[in-house]
Amino acid sequence: MKNNTEMSGGSGSFLSIEACELLDQVKTLKEDGWRFCQACADYVEDGIELIYTFENAAKLLSLKTVVEEEQAVDSITFVFWTAFDAELDMARDCGVRFKHVAEEHLRDFYDVADISYSAESIRSDMEALTAHRDYRQMMYVAERMAGTSSFGHSLGYCMAVEKASGIEVPVRGQYLRIILMELSRIQSHLYWLSSVADRIGFESLAMGFLSVREPILTMFDHISGNRIMLSLCKVGGMKKDISQQQLEDIRNTLENLRERIQALTLLIKEDASIRRRLEGIGILDGKTAEAFCRGPAARGSAVMTDARMDENWSLYKTLGFVPIIEEAGDGLARCRVAVEEIYQSFTLVENAIEKIPEGDICTEIKTLSAGEAVIRLEQPDGQAVYYAKTADSDYIKKFRVSMPTDTNLLAYVRVMKASDPVDRPLTSLTMDPCRNNVEW
Amino acid sequence: MSFFRINGSLIKNLLGRKPADYEPAEGINGIRGRIAIDTGSCALCGECETHCIVGALRVDSEEETWEINRMQCILCGECTEICPQECLHMSDDPMEPEFAVIADVYHIGEEVETNLQEEEKPEEESLDAAEAIDEKSEDEEAVEEDKAADDSDEEVEEQEDASKETEEAEEGDEESEETEEEQESEEIEEAEEDPAQESEETEEPGDEEADSEDEPESEEEKIEEESDGEEETEESEEPVEPEEEEDEVEEAEADEESLQEAEESQEEPEDPEGEPESENAEESSDEEAGADDESDVEETEEEEASEDEEDISEDEEEADEDSETEAEDDGSDECSEETEESEEAEEPEEDAESEESGEPEVETESGEEDASEEEEAEAESLQEESDDDTENADAEAPSGEEIKKSPKNNPKNSKRRRKNRRKR
């Protein structure tokens, strides 16, 4: 399998270990500063294969181990409590049995009197479709796992399969993907801010955000024929090109939008009434954020984490990307992160349009090659991790998505527990959960 | 002060500046439209069917048809890329929201328009309200071949104007043709929820009321009558002749998904999901059930579905049901029996199949029937053979007869709808 031999090579290498070594390796990784990213299980000939992925600022590293069915595996929750959710998934998907689960932390879930949480989601059923849909069709399935972040899912799926199969995407295709990803981030953040404003009661601000979001969706409509489910990615590149004229239109639209968005976001940042509602609610301290969440929620608590700093996303460095950090850790800080990210995405898109080269947008592929890969991607609501295992056929063996809300779940629950019941709706929104991913 | 930052825009808005632009949205280039096929190039290879992500396509190399379920199609365009003959392309014609299933069937190669005139005669004698509908639906099915706009127009006219003779005459041939198509579309619709079903159901209550015919002994007959009645009521305020009804029934039952959608769906915002499920369960038990509105509705749907699946003689799973339905048919009145029997004879397998395939198909068909009557629905999605067009043209000549009557306006319909819903 590709990527298997690299230990310290590119981001996303795989290392096979024995089941008994698992806990020791994980502890070593933790000492080295790695953080837990995702874990999944899959049936193989010898039994069940467990894949644990860890991350640091720029790299991903995966440990693989094969256990027999009914064999009890050491739970790593004592080392990384965030693995609890992933282990629940593994137990449910493949019947893996874990021993020594750090049960005292279960109080996080079961002690909350007025919040109930269910780890079920539609995600696993959609992932199971890999048996019935070939790799081209699975893109559409992956795309439909979420709403406003649908482009990110299609992109993550394609990148994971490409990496697993050793397919290179032409440079123009990469640029197009980044342009669309950042536009998708802009519209998702605008929607998020609109829902926060609406929850505060500031309806005209909410409508203002939505009306500012409309030109972006219209641009999507012109580019791909759809407003949200773009269906523009495919394994190997992009399905449709964006013409120079359309790129110019995008640039002009963003220019015109900048001023309108500034008027609205100024309110979020500085208006006294909004500040009174958002300031000081849902405080997420840096330590919890570092351990338990990613994405804007973590960056609002001064944690330097962004999937776009990963090595796979080298193009972002060329475009001048820097993560946006806020210190306060409350709801207002997270909204400020969203606001600044909107402006940053504007800049990234404009830079990409300037620098985009001519060329192919897609590589031709006959069929996939066997391999596996893990990709992390900065979705608007957090960090999503995509794991794909391919075979020498049109059907991929396994595809697993770790949604941003899954990643942030424990931080979310802690924040909600600690907050005043009156503030909970707004707190929940500032953490930007996505109901497609986890049922509440 | 930050508090006053918003005052600027507040005052601006107060003083008459409209913050929102109330302009109609401009047209979008490259909008995703329906998948269109160049029937001349199609080789019936089935690649598109294999690669369709949602299973909206169906290629029947025996019958030489290519069918697309419009509502299942997600307009992704994969089939247009995959087709080796490059006969598929995405048109600029957008899909409107519909409440029933639309399936368009295209005949590849030579059109099969045979002996429509000959078969009409035997059918005419046993015209019944139910038959009318069946005929109509059959006619519509049979007509599906070309995308000619005139075809769709003609069909629209057909559906609306239930010309007895032409419709009746077409029954024979059309039914067989339609059944095939229906089967195809039904099969495709199996997994789909059918808002059309609901529309059917709603129509059926209306049919019952509108029909002046005797209560059919068999449930199927009753259902057919109901559907016939509804169609007729909807189509025209004039007294509905039995022949017309029959035509309507046959036509409607057979294939008018698109037609039904318009009427039915608009009239009854029923939950499509609930209906297919409930209908599935009910269909299996309804064939032998008493004359419940629901059961009637369901049976009608089944019948309709069965009509579509008539040609699917290969399915033997529901052979028992077929015999049951046939038995029921035998017991009905002469007029209704004849009509229904002829319909049922075609349907026996259909019923079985419809149950198997799922009620969504049946429902859709019934929904189709209803929708067929509406011009708008018909015009949009109908693609009919030229033969039927001629016939339809004749049938539609007395266009004044058919005035679409919204089931919503019929209080009894709504009551039954609610009643049916609750039962589910």
Side-chain angles (χ1 to χ4, degrees):
Chain A
M1 294 230 241
K2 297 190 186 7
N3 300 328
N4 226 355
T5 50
E6 296 174 316
M7 169 63 189
S8 57
S11 169
S13 43
F14 287 81
L15 181 64
S16 282
I17 58 173
E18 299 292 323
C20 47
E21 302 175 346
L22 178 66
L23 206 50
D24 291 335
Q25 288 274 354
V26 170
K27 284 181 188 163
T28 320
L29 287 176
K30 172 148 194 187
E31 288 162 16
D32 290 343
W34 294 80
R35 294 189 295 271
F36 176 80
C37 190
Q38 68 102 20
C40 65
D42 191 17
Y43 288 109
V44 291
E45 298 145 2
D46 304 336
I48 306 175
E49 184 180 51
L50 311 178
I51 298 151
Y52 294 83
T53 309
F54 300 90
E55 64 175 19
N56 66 10
K59 288 200 181 33
L60 288 172
L61 172 64
S62 302
L63 303 178
K64 297 186 349 173
T65 176
V66 179
V67 299
E68 294 157 22
E69 308 194 12
E70 307 296 326
Q71 179 184 345
V73 184
D74 278 322
S75 163
I76 63 173
T77 48
F78 276 107
V79 186
F80 290 111
W81 170 226
T82 35
F84 175 69
D85 183 47
E87 289 183 352
L88 269 183
D89 271 351
M90 290 201 276
R92 190 176 48 243
D93 289 343
C94 293
V96 183
R97 301 170 65 179
F98 292 98
K99 52 183 180 182
H100 309 313
V101 175
E103 282 179 4
E104 62 265 20
H105 292 299
L106 288 179
R107 269 187 280 112
D108 260 350
F109 292 107
Y110 298 112
D111 203 46
V112 184
D114 30 272
I115 299 175
S116 69
Y117 154 69
S118 151
E120 299 281 341
S121 78
I122 199 176
R123 172 191 50 76
S124 41
D125 291 331
M126 293 176 97
E127 291 168 3
L129 278 175
T130 54
H132 308 287
R133 300 278 183 273
D134 65 27
Y135 71 92
R136 294 176 59 123
Q137 299 167 331
M138 268 306 285
M139 192 285 287
Y140 295 90
V141 176
E143 190 179 43
R144 280 154 176 78
M145 283 190 186
T148 53
S149 36
S150 76
F151 182 78
H153 287 313
S154 72
L155 179 55
Y157 166 80
C158 290
M159 285 186 69
V161 172
E162 286 157 5
K163 189 140 194 266
S165 206
I167 299 170
E168 282 270 342
V169 177
V171 184
R172 185 178 172 92
Q174 294 179 22
Y175 269 91
L176 288 178
R177 284 177 168 185
I178 290 197
I179 290 174
L180 290 170
M181 185 70 216
E182 293 307 313
L183 284 176
S184 164
R185 189 186 316 281
I186 295 172
Q187 63 93 8
S188 178
H189 278 326
L190 286 172
Y191 187 75
W192 173 19
L193 291 173
S194 147
S195 62
V196 168
D198 188 60
R199 187 58 68 102
I200 290 176
F202 202 149
E203 281 191 27
S204 44
L205 184 61
M207 292 302 146
F209 276 122
L210 287 179
S211 86
V212 169
R213 180 177 176 249
E214 276 303 303
I216 301 179
L217 298 183
T218 311
M219 279 196 295
F220 281 156
D221 213 350
H222 283 291
I223 292 171
S224 82
N226 275 338
R227 281 158 58 98
I228 300 280
M229 301 274 175
L230 303 184
S231 306
L232 277 182
C233 275
K234 74 178 201 190
V235 175
M238 302 289 285
K239 292 182 77 165
K240 253 168 89 170
D241 202 352
I242 306 182
S243 69
Q244 192 57 36
Q245 178 59 43
Q246 282 170 331
L247 290 173
E248 288 300 320
D249 288 342
I250 293 176
R251 210 199 320 229
N252 293 339
T253 313
L254 291 183
E255 257 181 56
N256 297 340
L257 279 183
R258 213 182 250 272
E259 206 187 296
R260 286 172 68 183
I261 292 186
Q262 261 165 3
L264 298 173
T265 52
L266 207 54
L267 290 172
I268 292 274
K269 289 199 284 190
E270 300 189 10
D271 186 86
S273 57
I274 293 183
R275 214 186 312 153
R276 227 175 273 142
R277 292 299 304 275
L278 286 176
E279 217 165 19
I281 64 161
I283 295 194
L284 183 62
D285 67 278
K287 222 167 131 231
T288 317
E290 170 110 21
F292 293 153
C293 74
R294 302 280 175 272
R299 291 197 285 284
S301 303
V303 177
M304 173 72 79
T305 165
D306 196 310
R308 290 174 280 178
M309 297 191 300
D310 190 278
E311 283 178 358
N312 277 319
W313 297 99
S314 51
L315 206 44
Y316 272 108
K317 276 218 194 77
T318 356
L319 300 176
F321 164 74
V322 176
I324 303 205
I325 312 287
E326 289 277 334
E327 309 270 329
D330 57 7
L332 186 59
R334 293 192 277 276
C335 291
R336 285 211 176 126
V337 168
V339 164
E340 292 302 328
E341 284 192 349
I342 292 178
Y343 294 128
Q344 184 183 62
S345 294
F346 271 56
T347 317
L348 290 171
V349 171
E350 284 160 9
N351 289 349
I353 292 179
E354 235 180 74
K355 299 191 172 160
I356 187 171
E358 299 292 331
D360 284 335
I361 54 173
C362 180
T363 34
E364 282 249 3
I365 39 181
K366 297 291 176 201
T367 187
L368 304 178
S369 346
E372 58 184 345
V374 184
I375 289 284
R376 61 174 162 165
L377 187 148
E378 184 69 20
Q379 284 273 37
D381 34 347
Q383 174 175 289
V385 185
Y386 302 88
Y387 167 77
K389 178 152 67 170
T390 54
D392 286 318
S393 84
D394 279 349
Y395 285 81
I396 63 179
K397 276 192 174 163
K398 175 145 180 99
F399 173 61
R400 192 202 191 264
V401 183
S402 177
M403 301 273 188
T405 311
D406 293 336
T407 314
N408 299 352
L409 197 56
L410 295 175
Y412 179 92
V413 173
R414 291 214 173 159
V415 161
M416 295 290 274
K417 259 179 81 172
S419 72
D420 207 1
V422 170
D423 289 327
R424 280 202 187 133
L426 205 45
T427 309
S428 158
L429 275 179
T430 58
M431 298 288 288
D432 203 8
C434 175
R435 278 196 184 74
N436 282 4
N437 307 340
V438 190
E439 287 180 10
W440 309 111
Chain B
M1 283 177 55
S2 54
F3 177 74
F4 289 109
R5 280 185 200 281
I6 195 164
N7 282 6
S9 32
L10 276 181
I11 292 170
K12 257 195 274 180
N13 295 345
L14 263 178
L15 295 181
R17 181 183 75 87
K18 264 199 167 161
D21 296 326
Y22 298 111
E23 294 164 2
E26 58 196 36
I28 305 282
N29 281 341
I31 194 170
R32 289 175 189 251
R34 299 155 186 256
I35 305 291
I37 182 172
D38 174 18
T39 52
S41 325
C42 176
L44 293 171
C45 64
E47 281 292 306
C48 53
E49 183 182 356
T50 317
H51 283 93
C52 178
I53 299 160
V54 290
L57 297 175
R58 191 176 149 69
V59 174
D60 193 335
S61 36
E62 268 183 32
E63 306 295 335
E64 299 196 349
T65 56
W66 180 88
E67 179 173 355
I68 178 168
N69 186 325
R70 296 282 181 207
M71 297 313 282
Q72 190 75 350
C73 171
I74 59 173
L75 304 176
C76 66
E78 284 283 307
C79 56
T80 59
E81 296 175 12
I82 280 282
C83 177
Q85 282 78 28
E86 295 185 3
C87 65
L88 294 171
H89 68 275
M90 191 176 270
S91 66
D92 283 338
D93 181 19
M95 274 295 300
E96 305 285 325
E98 302 280 358
F99 280 97
V101 177
I102 308 177
D104 290 339
V105 182
Y106 298 85
H107 277 291
I108 313 293
E110 295 181 7
E111 292 188 359
V112 183
E113 298 177 2
T114 62
N115 302 331
L116 287 176
Q117 298 299 321
E118 294 173 3
E119 297 189 16
E120 290 180 1
K121 289 175 187 174
E123 296 293 346
E124 290 179 10
E125 295 178 354
S126 59
L127 290 182
D128 198 76
E131 282 185 352
I133 300 177
D134 295 337
E135 285 178 348
K136 228 190 171 184
S137 49
E138 289 179 351
D139 290 342
E140 295 174 347
E141 287 182 4
V143 173
E144 299 176 15
E145 241 195 329
D146 301 333
K147 305 180 199 177
D150 57 348
D151 287 347
S152 53
D153 291 340
E154 291 178 3
E155 279 199 357
V156 173
E157 297 176 1
E158 265 189 339
Q159 297 165 351
E160 294 180 352
D161 302 331
S163 74
K164 309 165 190 181
E165 293 184 6
T166 55
E167 289 176 2
E168 294 174 11
E170 296 171 33
E171 273 186 77
D173 289 333
E174 292 179 28
E175 287 184 352
S176 51
E177 287 179 326
E178 289 176 330
T179 54
E180 289 179 1
E181 297 174 342
E182 287 178 300
Q183 291 171 358
E184 292 173 352
S185 47
E186 282 186 351
E187 292 174 2
I188 289 183
E189 300 164 19
E190 287 185 8
E192 301 163 15
E193 300 171 354
D194 291 344
Q197 289 177 343
E198 296 186 6
S199 56
E200 279 187 351
E201 294 180 16
T202 56
E203 282 188 356
E204 292 172 6
D207 283 340
E208 285 182 339
E209 299 169 7
D211 275 347
S212 54
E213 292 181 344
D214 306 332
E215 296 181 2
E217 294 183 5
S218 68
E219 294 178 329
E220 294 179 357
E221 293 178 343
K222 195 175 181 182
I223 298 174
E224 291 179 9
E225 289 180 346
E226 291 179 354
S227 54
D228 292 341
E230 277 196 358
E231 291 184 353
E232 294 187 9
T233 356
E234 294 175 354
E235 293 184 358
S236 61
E237 296 174 352
E238 293 178 347
V240 180
E241 297 183 3
E243 292 179 348
E244 287 186 357
E245 289 180 349
E246 290 174 351
D247 292 341
E248 293 176 358
V249 170
E250 289 182 347
E251 289 185 350
E253 292 185 2
D255 222 28
E256 302 179 57
E257 296 176 352
S258 55
L259 301 177
Q260 293 173 341
E261 293 174 16
E263 256 193 344
E264 301 288 315
S265 57
Q266 292 169 3
E267 297 170 344
E268 302 171 351
E270 292 180 352
D271 183 77
E273 293 185 3
E275 291 222 355
E277 294 174 4
S278 56
E279 291 200 358
N280 287 325
E282 291 178 354
E283 280 188 352
S284 49
S285 57
D286 277 342
E287 285 193 6
E288 300 175 315
D292 256 0
D293 284 346
E294 287 186 2
S295 56
D296 289 339
V297 172
E298 293 175 5
E299 284 191 2
T300 315
E301 296 175 348
E302 292 179 3
E303 288 184 44
E304 295 175 345
S306 60
E307 283 184 318
D308 294 338
E309 298 175 334
E310 283 180 15
D311 293 342
I312 305 178
S313 54
E314 299 174 356
D315 295 343
E316 298 178 351
E317 296 179 8
E318 302 186 6
D320 294 340
E321 295 179 14
D322 292 339
S323 55
E324 288 177 334
T325 57
E326 289 175 344
E328 291 177 6
D329 293 342
D330 293 338
S332 58
D333 294 339
E334 289 184 5
C335 292
S336 55
E337 284 178 4
E338 287 178 341
T339 320
E340 295 182 9
E341 283 176 350
S342 57
E343 293 175 335
E344 292 173 345
E346 298 170 342
E347 299 173 355
E349 295 181 346
E350 291 179 347
D351 290 339
E353 294 175 345
S354 60
E355 290 191 3
E356 290 178 28
S357 61
E359 290 139 347
E361 291 188 9
V362 180
E363 292 183 338
T364 25
E365 295 194 10
S366 57
E368 296 177 7
E369 291 185 52
D370 298 330
S372 62
E373 297 181 354
E374 293 184 347
E375 292 183 353
E376 298 173 357
E378 298 172 8
E380 280 182 356
S381 52
L382 278 186
Q383 318 230 352
E384 309 255 336
E385 294 176 7
S386 53
D387 290 357
D388 293 337
D389 292 340
T390 351
E391 292 178 303
N392 294 336
D394 295 343
E396 297 175 356
S399 55
E401 292 179 357
E402 299 179 4
I403 301 176
K404 293 173 195 166
K405 203 170 166 189
S406 164
K408 263 187 191 162
N409 298 334
N410 190 341
K412 229 180 172 184
N413 272 349
S414 52
K415 274 190 207 158
R416 277 184 206 223
R417 263 195 314 257
R418 278 184 231 118
K419 188 169 110 191
N420 290 343
R421 272 192 213 145
R422 263 183 255 120
K423 281 186 185 175
R424 295 212 183 85

